[in-house]
């Protein structure tokens, strides 16, 4: 008996086995009914049957064995992809999802082998069936991972957004206590609250921006006519106040006017200078140069110290942090340089890093104006 005939003839028997295995996937399946447990199993098997009946070239066979076969043009999602999303929503983890396919493969081949006796199964059918199951598994895992990633980003985005209100209350209260001009110990405590609140606000802003980029929304900018020298002077003052034991120099050359989102440029500069303070030599100054040119302004941040050569190629990727070489290194999410890069891109500019034995240089190139700026909220 050919495998396609067996699957069509014994479909209900196969589905009973699928359901029995799915029901054991606790705790996700504890309260699921038959229809939910069998979700898309029949459609997946019918897709396998259709696939087995098609002629197949050696190249198509190789492609499918790697889980890379193309989906039918008329199907926005395959049954395996839809099944993966529904399993993810039901609380299955990716190991349980993969186990379902492993159990399905074993169950179908075992039942079919028994049905073929005293004859032998057709080996070509076995190979084609395994390829089809591998393809379905690959589609499911890919969609499952994508759904989990989107859900995680949405959760982090909502969490970081909702934390901003209580944080703002803490900061306002701290500023109020500081303004009371009470005892010196109260004033010092208020300063610590303000400093910590500012740091938390920066982390939340980075997290919100990271989620926007992961959700495909990009960094939002609202450019207007401004002078980068003024914008950067304000941010350097903020950094100096947060790091009174460090020296940060600012030098400007040429015309630094253009269309900028001041808040975003300050965020970019703050991330670069803070990174330079955290990873540069604690006894050396951080130097910031604004260089106004004909059609662009270059923002150059230089600090002593070296970035490891193996780190440099991936420096602007998210969730990466350099090694702590014994200097004061505040905790962070590993998003500062990534956000700086995204802000530069949102202005139509670019960012690059170079490092030698003695110093590290970040160069941001910002055109004075671009035709299309930012991404709407």
């Amino acid at each position: 008996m050919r495998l396609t005939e067996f699957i069509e003839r014994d479909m209900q028997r196969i589905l009973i086995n699928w359901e029995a295995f799915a029901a054991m996937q606790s705790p996700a399946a504890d309260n699921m009914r038959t229809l939910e447990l069998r979700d898309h199993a029949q459609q997946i098997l019918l897709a396998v049957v259709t696939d087995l009946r098609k002629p197949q070239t050696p190249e198509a066979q190789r492609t499918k064995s790697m889980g890379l076969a193309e989906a039918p043009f008329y199907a926005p999602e395959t049954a395996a992809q839809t099944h993966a999303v529904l399993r993810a929503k039901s609380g299955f983890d990716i190991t349980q999802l993969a186990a379902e396919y492993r159990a399905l493969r074993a169950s179908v081949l075992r039942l079919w082998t028994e049905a073929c006796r005293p004859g032998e199964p057709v080996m070509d059918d076995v190979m084609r069936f395994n390829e089809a199951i591998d393809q379905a598994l690959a589609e499911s895992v890919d969609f499952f991972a994508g759904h989990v990633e989107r859900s995680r980003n949405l959760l982090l985005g909502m969490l970081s957004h909702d934390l901003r209100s209580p944080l703002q209350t803490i900061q306002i209260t701290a500023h109020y206590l500081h303004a009371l001009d009470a005892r010196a110990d109260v004033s010092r405590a208020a300063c610590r609250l303000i400093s910590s609140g500012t740091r938390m606000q920066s982390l939340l802003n980075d997290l919100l921006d990271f989620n926007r980029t992961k959700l495909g929304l990009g960094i939002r900018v609202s450019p207007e006519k401004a002078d980068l020298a003024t914008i950067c002077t304000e941010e350097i003052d903020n950094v100096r106040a947060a790091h009174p034991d460090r020296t940060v120099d600012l030098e400007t050359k040429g015309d630094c006017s253009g269309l900028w989102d001041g808040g975003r440029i300050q965020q970019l500069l703050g991330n670069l200078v803070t990174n330079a303070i955290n990873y540069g030599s604690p006894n050396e100054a951080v130097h910031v140069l604004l260089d106004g040119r004909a059609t662009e302004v270059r923002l150059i941040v230089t600090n002593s110290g070296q970035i490891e050569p193996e780190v440099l190629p991936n420096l602007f990727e998210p969730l990466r942090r350099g090694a702590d070489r014994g200097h004061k290194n505040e905790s962070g999410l590993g998003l500062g340089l990534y956000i700086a890069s995204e802000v530069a891109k949102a202005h139509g500019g670019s960012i690059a890093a170079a490092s030698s034995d003695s110093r590290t240089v970040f160069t941001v190139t910002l055109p004075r104006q671009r035709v299309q700026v930012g991404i709407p909220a």
Side-chain angles (χ1 to χ4, degrees):
M1 179 189 303
R2 299 303 295 263
L3 182 53
T4 53
E5 298 170 2
F6 168 76
I7 292 175
E8 290 178 330
R9 190 194 73 178
D10 284 32
M11 178 68 74
Q12 288 307 311
R13 195 172 161 206
I14 296 170
L15 292 178
I16 289 171
N17 278 266
W18 171 291
E19 178 186 343
F21 181 83
M24 293 189 296
Q25 307 309 302
S26 185
D30 288 349
N31 298 311
M32 294 177 70
R33 295 167 294 184
T34 294
L35 188 61
E36 296 168 311
L37 291 169
R38 293 189 180 189
D39 168 65
H40 283 78
Q42 183 169 347
Q43 292 94 320
I44 292 171
L45 286 168
L46 290 176
V48 169
V49 168
T50 300
D51 182 75
L52 291 178
R53 285 181 171 152
K54 289 180 181 178
Q56 180 171 267
T57 65
E59 178 60 30
Q61 183 181 32
R62 285 192 297 271
T63 302
K64 195 192 306 173
S65 68
M66 295 184 288
L68 301 175
E70 294 184 2
F73 72 91
Y74 53 83
E77 289 183 11
T78 66
Q81 291 169 336
T82 305
H83 172 72
V85 172
L86 293 176
R87 281 298 194 246
K89 290 181 177 178
S90 297
F92 279 57
D93 61 37
I94 199 164
T95 302
Q96 291 172 321
L97 177 73
E100 281 192 300
Y101 283 96
R102 187 172 63 248
L104 175 65
R105 185 199 311 266
S107 175
V108 169
L109 291 177
R110 176 178 57 80
L111 293 173
W112 177 49
T113 301
E114 293 173 355
C116 287
R117 290 172 182 161
E120 293 293 331
V122 178
M123 290 308 299
D124 185 59
D125 283 3
V126 176
M127 293 176 60
R128 293 285 303 274
F129 177 73
N130 282 329
E131 293 162 6
I133 291 296
D134 288 341
Q135 174 65 29
L137 174 60
E139 293 171 1
S140 279
V141 168
D142 182 61
F143 254 55
F144 188 97
H147 174 81
V148 170
E149 176 72 10
R150 286 190 295 273
S151 298
R152 179 168 57 245
N153 287 334
L154 286 170
L155 174 62
L156 289 175
M158 290 186 291
L159 177 63
S160 55
H161 183 275
D162 291 346
L163 283 174
R164 298 180 81 174
S165 292
L167 176 59
Q168 287 172 351
T169 301
I170 293 172
Q171 290 179 293
I172 291 172
T173 304
H175 280 284
Y176 173 73
L177 288 174
H178 183 64
L180 286 177
D181 196 22
R183 300 190 317 269
D185 55 341
V186 175
S187 181
R188 286 194 297 271
C191 286
R192 287 195 297 271
L193 281 174
I194 293 170
S195 177
S196 296
T198 301
R199 177 63 179 158
M200 287 179 64
Q201 185 69 61
S202 176
L203 292 173
L204 284 175
N205 288 341
D206 281 352
L207 186 56
L208 277 169
D209 288 336
F210 173 67
N211 275 278
R212 284 185 61 86
T213 61
K214 296 298 286 183
L215 292 170
L217 300 175
I219 292 287
R220 179 176 54 193
V221 295
S222 301
E224 56 185 21
K225 290 183 178 180
D227 182 3
L228 269 189
T230 302
I231 292 171
C232 292
T233 298
E234 292 178 0
E235 183 59 25
I236 293 298
D237 288 341
N238 292 335
V239 174
R240 287 170 178 159
H243 300 274
D245 56 331
R246 298 299 300 271
T247 300
V248 182
D249 298 325
L250 174 63
E251 177 187 359
T252 62
K253 293 167 54 179
D255 179 14
C256 296
S257 62
L259 290 177
W260 327 107
D261 184 321
R264 288 298 190 183
I265 297 298
Q266 287 186 331
Q267 183 183 20
L268 179 157
L269 178 59
N271 284 352
L272 290 181
V273 175
T274 300
N275 180 79
I277 289 173
N278 287 339
Y279 293 103
S281 172
N283 301 317
E284 300 291 338
V286 175
H287 185 70
V288 179
L289 170 64
L290 274 176
D291 185 7
R293 302 192 175 190
T295 60
E296 64 189 27
V297 177
R298 291 190 179 180
L299 173 60
I300 302 171
V301 178
T302 305
N303 65 273
S304 60
Q306 180 187 20
I307 297 174
E308 296 82 356
E310 63 273 15
V311 173
L312 202 57
N314 302 313
L315 197 60
F316 297 104
E317 292 185 10
L319 306 178
R320 290 179 178 268
R321 295 178 58 190
D324 184 355
R325 296 183 291 275
H327 308 315
K328 179 184 176 183
N329 185 10
E330 298 180 0
S331 60
L333 299 173
L335 294 174
L337 296 182
Y338 171 73
I339 297 300
S341 175
E342 292 297 311
V343 171
K345 290 178 184 176
H347 283 84
S350 62
I351 186 170
S355 188
S356 65
D357 293 340
S358 59
R359 68 173 190 164
T360 294
V361 180
F362 287 88
T363 302
V364 181
T365 302
L366 298 168
R368 295 185 188 277
Q369 183 175 352
R370 60 174 300 192
V371 176
Q372 183 179 357
V373 287
I375 300 174

